[in-house]
Amino acid sequence: MSPLRDLLIAPAERREPPAPRDAGRAPAPSLGVLAPARELPAVALAVAVAIARGRHAALVCLPGRAAASPRLPARPAAARLASSLRARGLAAEARGRLALAGLPDDPAELASAAARALAAAGALPTVLAVARRTEAVDAMLGARDAIVVALAPSADPALADLALAGATALAPSAALPLTLDPIQRALALAGAWSPRTIHRVVEGLVR
């Protein structure tokens, strides 16, 4: 089974449509990110930097931990959110405006940990990033405002279309070509920068 099929396309099964969102709650964008595991941290942090613009902090939930790389000093709001995440039993750290919550790799535990993290964020912008879809993960992705599907340029077009269609069945979605070079990746992991291509995709989804 190809990595794209394994990581971005859930097994065929019948699903109920996502429950309607509470129209009275507004606030900040809540995005899902689907990407290959190797690229997931950098893409997720870059998306979070894009939606954190003009906000005190944003939450990024992703399996495992982001690479230990140079990082921006934590802003006070992000540091407070990371502390709240740790109080809920989650591995957490802050980079610039971003608070990162490390989720368990076990799909059975990932959804409950993500729910605790998202609750801690309150009305702040949030990113839920995953490399593999499961029924529990799909339920959470369906509750996001939109989903960014990151695809390698070498991905088979038919599988790429299928991955995007599967995400769009859950929430409004857009494809993002994976084009981060090493410098861009390092800046994204530091919580410092998001490339214009990601800003354009995010703005198109949350405007």
Side-chain angles (χ1 to χ4, degrees):
M1 185 174 284
S2 76
L4 181 60
R5 186 188 300 273
D6 182 45
L7 300 179
L8 300 184
I9 303 171
E13 58 189 27
R14 293 183 63 84
R15 293 191 187 86
E16 296 299 320
R21 299 182 183 88
D22 181 356
R25 302 186 65 181
S30 180
L31 298 183
V33 172
L34 285 165
R38 183 168 175 266
E39 303 291 343
L40 187 65
V43 173
L45 269 67
V47 169
V49 168
I51 65 171
R53 182 182 285 181
R55 306 272 183 169
H56 294 298
L59 170 69
V60 185
C61 302
L62 70 164
R65 304 189 70 144
S69 60
R71 62 199 69 180
L72 281 187
R75 296 287 188 95
R80 288 194 298 271
L81 177 54
S83 178
S84 177
L85 293 167
R86 287 191 290 270
R88 286 168 164 78
L90 298 163
E93 62 176 277
R95 303 183 182 190
R97 296 177 188 269
L98 309 183
L100 281 61
L103 305 179
D105 290 319
D106 183 348
E109 299 176 10
L110 184 148
S112 63
R116 297 199 306 276
L118 293 166
L124 291 171
T126 61
V127 171
L128 173 62
V130 293
R132 178 172 301 171
R133 287 176 52 189
T134 66
E135 190 171 357
V137 166
D138 273 4
M140 301 200 76
L141 289 173
R144 304 305 103 208
D145 296 318
I147 300 170
V148 176
V149 182
L151 300 167
S154 60
D156 178 90
L159 287 180
D161 289 345
L162 190 55
L164 183 59
T168 304
L170 302 173
S173 302
L176 170 71
L178 273 177
T179 56
L180 294 178
D181 63 36
I183 293 176
Q184 292 174 331
R185 185 176 292 105
L187 289 171
L189 288 172
W193 183 75
S194 177
R196 187 176 301 175
T197 53
I198 289 181
H199 274 279
R200 282 200 295 261
V201 169
V202 169
E203 288 170 1
L205 287 170
V206 302
R207 74 174 69 173

